[in-house]
């Protein structure tokens, strides 16, 4: 496999993984790198010569230690979802310049539980701890500049996750999405 793909607009091709239990809770990992700030879904770059689903299985193994046969693919977003990095996160000395990510999001359901996560599959683990969260909660927990993408991905994938009726949006939903550059409000 080759290096990560960055398009002519400066967006790195990436996959995002919504890993769901049978009960509808989703996996959230606490970032080990970058000072350990924030909780997020597993995600990672698509490499040259790799299709998005291959990248999902590679990232699933690298970031949480699961294999393709541990999950079923329930669905994926129809289009790329993009976010720009705040200028302080842009590595200006790397080429090609990456100004953000364009992501295809995949909804995966665990085939069996309990499951054991292993964060030591790579030399630089992405996560140092994890927890199950209610379906909409990651929108509040992720770093502010990824919130809109999380909102769009979960909104698009919710009908696939809950074919008989998705959970109601939480009371904090609108407030969190309006607060682009501020930390998320704490639960009541």
């Amino acid at each position: 496999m080759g290096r990560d793909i960055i398009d002519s607009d400066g967006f790195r091709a990436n996959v995002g993984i919504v890993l769901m239990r049978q009960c509808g809770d989703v996996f959230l990992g606490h970032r080990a790198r970058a000072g350990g700030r924030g909780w997020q879904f597993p995600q990672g770059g698509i490499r040259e010569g790799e299709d998005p689903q291959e990248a999902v299985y590679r990232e699933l193994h690298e970031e949480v230690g699961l294999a393709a046969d541990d999950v079923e693919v329930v669905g994926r977003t129809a289009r790329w979802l993009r976010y720009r990095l705040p200028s302080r996160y842009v590595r200006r000395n790397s080429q090609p310049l990456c100004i953000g990510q364009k992501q295809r999001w995949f909804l995966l359901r665990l085939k069996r539980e309990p499951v054991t996560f292993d964060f030591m599959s790579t030399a630089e683990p992405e996560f140092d701890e994890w927890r199950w969260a209610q379906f909409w909660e990651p929108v509040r927990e992720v770093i502010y500049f990824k919130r809109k993408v999380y909102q769009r991905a979960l909104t698009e994938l919710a009908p696939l996750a809950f074919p008989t009726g998705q959970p109601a949006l939480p009371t904090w939903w609108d407030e969190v999405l309006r607060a682009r550059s501020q930390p998320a409000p704490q639960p009541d």
Side-chain angles (χ1 to χ4, degrees):
M1 292 291 154
R3 57 191 174 146
D4 288 348
I5 301 167
I6 299 176
D7 70 17
S8 60
D9 294 324
F11 287 89
R12 177 177 172 242
N14 189 286
V15 291
I17 301 169
V18 179
L19 179 61
M20 190 172 79
R21 298 168 72 183
Q22 295 298 327
C23 69
D25 289 346
V26 293
F27 172 95
L28 268 182
H30 183 261
R31 289 193 38 109
R33 295 186 259 167
R37 293 189 318 218
W39 293 82
Q40 70 175 40
F41 290 131
Q43 66 176 56
I46 300 172
R47 297 179 180 160
E48 289 178 348
E50 189 175 51
D51 71 41
Q53 192 157 327
E54 290 170 330
V56 163
Y57 292 136
R58 179 182 47 75
E59 290 293 336
L60 186 67
H61 175 70
E62 289 176 3
E63 295 197 1
V64 300
L66 296 182
D69 63 353
D70 291 322
V71 296
E72 68 173 304
V73 176
V74 178
R76 69 184 225 175
T77 56
R79 293 184 301 278
W80 295 103
L81 304 180
R82 296 173 189 257
Y83 67 84
R84 285 183 169 270
L85 292 166
S87 61
R88 71 177 177 266
Y89 293 109
V90 175
R91 296 182 200 134
R92 303 207 183 281
N93 58 350
S94 64
Q95 292 298 318
L97 182 65
C98 175
I99 63 162
Q101 308 248 18
K102 65 178 187 180
Q103 300 176 311
R104 278 287 167 93
W105 283 87
F106 285 75
L107 175 63
L108 308 180
R109 183 176 285 122
L110 288 172
K111 288 183 179 177
R112 59 195 149 281
E113 296 181 58
V115 65
T116 301
F117 296 113
D118 176 10
F119 301 142
M120 304 309 288
S121 298
T122 64
E124 294 182 31
E126 187 69 31
F127 302 122
D128 58 10
E129 59 183 293
W130 67 276
R131 64 186 169 94
W132 293 114
Q134 293 180 350
F135 188 77
W136 300 116
E137 188 176 339
V139 172
R140 178 170 57 184
E141 297 294 328
V142 73
I143 193 164
Y144 69 94
F145 59 87
K146 296 182 182 181
R147 285 184 189 147
K148 285 287 191 186
V149 164
Y150 272 47
Q151 177 257 328
R152 290 194 312 260
L154 290 175
T155 300
E156 184 175 341
L157 296 170
L160 300 172
F162 304 99
T164 60
Q166 64 194 38
L169 293 175
T171 57
W172 50 258
W173 185 261
D174 291 332
E175 180 182 348
V176 166
L177 292 172
R178 274 194 308 271
R180 291 183 189 256
S181 61
Q182 301 172 2
Q186 296 302 307
D188 299 332

